[in-house]
Amino acid sequence: MRKAIEGTYTYLEIAACAVAFLPILSAVRIAHRNDDVPRAAGWWMRKYGRTTSALTPLWNFEVQGAAPADIKTRAYVVVSNHMSNADPFLLSWLPWDMQWVGKEELFRLPLFGWLMQLAGDISVRRGEGESVRAMLARCRHALNHGMSLMIFPEGSRTHEGGVRAFKDTAFQLAIEEGAPVLPIAVAGTRPCMPKGARWFGRAHAIARVLEPIETRGMTLDDMPRVRDLARDRVTAGVKGLVAELALEAGGAANGG
């Protein structure tokens, strides 16, 4: 009964927050319609993610690691592994502005998709050349105007665990625009939205900010090395977080 009550409450509060934030983001986009990048609207979208995740009793989110000292004055290409639809809610707690890149289907969802559109996030139809070119142009525009990007380089959620191979796009962009790559490791979000489950799940999830990778002076010949280094750091970070969460769960089970 408790699971059903908490699950129902979480559904309702996420929807209610979306309804409440829609007019706010609409007003912000109008007020800032002449801005080079939608920084203000994006901030409110991440405020939505933080608000909804803070209001549910099911999720305990944590960010570990220090942000680069210059991330508020220099654009980064931020890359993370992707375990769950709850990842964006967790990553909304990262303390800097970003434009997010996501598949076009998400932007067509009622409420949440409308918020993504108003936030100025960047959609792409994977495998369609015109859409990919338009996405890349918007990404370059963001980086050139000091706005960091958030990209999931695996391309889709990982259901079997581990970290999939990273695609090239994020790292190509970083090298071409001279932007550093900032890897983020995420663990613990899969139980938040279990695949095929009726209710949201209870979980402690962590995002860990890892060591950035400088790309200045590099060429596209360096791209595979940067891509693989970022994946190695994320993979190691995920393993460390999984071990930390397992130890925590074991302690709780033993009454620690």
Side-chain angles (χ1 to χ4, degrees):
M1 177 63 73
R2 178 181 176 182
K3 185 176 182 179
I5 291 172
E6 290 179 336
T8 301
Y9 166 79
T10 300
Y11 275 116
L12 292 175
E13 69 93 353
I14 288 176
C17 285
V19 171
F21 273 76
L22 274 170
I24 296 174
L25 265 81
S26 297
V28 169
R29 281 305 299 269
I30 292 171
H32 293 268
R33 59 187 176 276
N34 295 322
D35 290 358
D36 291 323
V37 288
R39 193 177 301 276
W43 185 91
W44 278 100
M45 181 62 176
R46 273 19 104 188
K47 177 71 171 176
Y48 164 76
R50 295 192 298 272
T51 301
T52 54
S53 56
L55 286 176
T56 175
L58 295 175
W59 299 347
N60 174 20
F61 287 168
E62 178 183 355
V63 172
Q64 298 179 351
D70 62 350
I71 197 165
K72 293 188 177 181
T73 57
R74 186 182 180 194
Y76 279 70
V77 176
V78 184
V79 297
S80 168
N81 60 305
H82 194 13
M83 302 182 71
S84 164
N85 284 332
D87 294 341
F89 293 93
L90 169 59
L91 293 168
S92 291
W93 290 91
L94 294 171
W96 60 80
D97 297 325
M98 294 185 287
Q99 261 184 290
W100 292 48
V101 178
K103 59 184 180 181
E104 188 184 57
E105 300 94 296
L106 294 174
F107 290 74
R108 294 199 295 263
L109 293 173
L111 295 179
F112 188 75
W114 303 339
L115 288 173
M116 292 179 70
Q117 293 179 44
L118 288 169
D121 289 333
I122 301 169
S123 68
V124 61
R125 293 189 303 277
R126 288 176 295 190
E128 294 193 18
E130 183 177 347
S131 177
V132 172
R133 287 189 290 274
M135 177 271 290
L136 290 172
R138 291 188 63 189
C139 286
R140 291 190 175 96
H141 177 86
L143 292 172
N144 289 332
H145 287 83
M147 174 69 90
S148 294
L149 296 173
M150 177 69 234
I151 300 176
F152 294 112
E154 293 168 288
S156 61
R157 287 173 292 160
T158 304
H159 297 303
E160 69 278 7
V163 179
R164 289 179 176 173
F166 281 3
K167 300 182 184 300
D168 294 344
T169 302
F171 310 98
Q172 177 181 333
L173 272 169
I175 289 173
E176 289 178 343
E177 303 303 325
V181 173
L182 181 59
I184 308 287
V186 166
T189 53
R190 187 172 289 113
C192 297
M193 291 184 174
K195 184 176 174 60
R198 184 178 180 183
W199 302 110
F200 293 106
R202 183 177 295 277
H204 176 202
I206 305 172
R208 178 174 289 168
V209 182
L210 305 172
E211 182 182 356
I213 303 168
E214 183 57 73
T215 66
R216 279 177 176 162
M218 291 186 179
T219 70
L220 290 181
D221 290 337
D222 299 300
M223 189 270 294
R225 180 173 61 84
V226 173
R227 178 198 63 208
D228 294 345
L229 177 58
R231 183 179 181 274
D232 288 345
R233 289 185 181 174
V234 170
T235 300
V238 170
K239 288 180 178 178
L241 290 176
V242 168
E244 180 178 328
L245 291 169
L247 184 63
E248 174 189 280
N254 293 323

